[in-house]
Amino acid sequence: MSKLNMATPQRPGLPMHRSLSILGYGVLVLAATASWSVQAQSSGIPPLQTQGNVKYVCGGIGSRQSTAFREAMRNHPLSLMFVNRRGEFLAAVAVNIKNDAGVGVLSIPSSGGPICLIDLAPGRYSVTAEPQGKAAQTRVVGVGTRNSSLEFSFP
């Protein structure tokens, strides 16, 4: 009669404690990833979109999402906020960003919210924001090791 081996499976050539360590590490990474995903979804911030080498997300409509976006501003190299002269948020703003050489790196036809969080490589950029029915505004910003924020205020 043969005996069944109920021992924990091992990778060939690795001691038992090493196999368990690798398994434990894998479970830890999976748990951390799932936790981050749940936090991102529960924070009210949609997933980042990608355009070329730039990642971005725009939103901030409603108090919960607005708070989440404002708190997340410190985690992105560049954040943009669009308001009118009374301080009220503007949500439908076209955004175009060009690098120092004048090459477009990001074009958003309509922001879909008053705040944009943008992950750009370090450098100097020209940012143009144009809400529907209003004149465009352009600003130059340096993006580097510290986070940069631009607030566009429209009449």
Side-chain angles (χ1 to χ4, degrees), residues 30-43 47-48:
L30 251 140
T33 302
S35 171
W36 178 84
S37 177
V38 168
Q39 285 175 352
Q41 289 174 356
S42 67
S43 73
L48 290 172

Side-chain angles (χ1 to χ4, degrees), residues 14 16 29 35 57 67 85 88 105 129-130 153:
L14 288 178
M16 173 76 108
V29 168
S35 171
V57 63
T67 300
R85 299 269 187 226
E88 300 164 331
V105 296
E130 184 176 7
S153 181

Side-chain angles (χ1 to χ4, degrees), residues 44-67:
I45 297 178
L48 290 172
Q49 298 180 50
T50 302
Q51 193 176 110
N53 294 326
V54 178
K55 293 183 188 254
Y56 72 97
V57 63
C58 297
I61 296 176
S63 62
R64 182 173 162 219
Q65 195 179 73
S66 174
T67 300

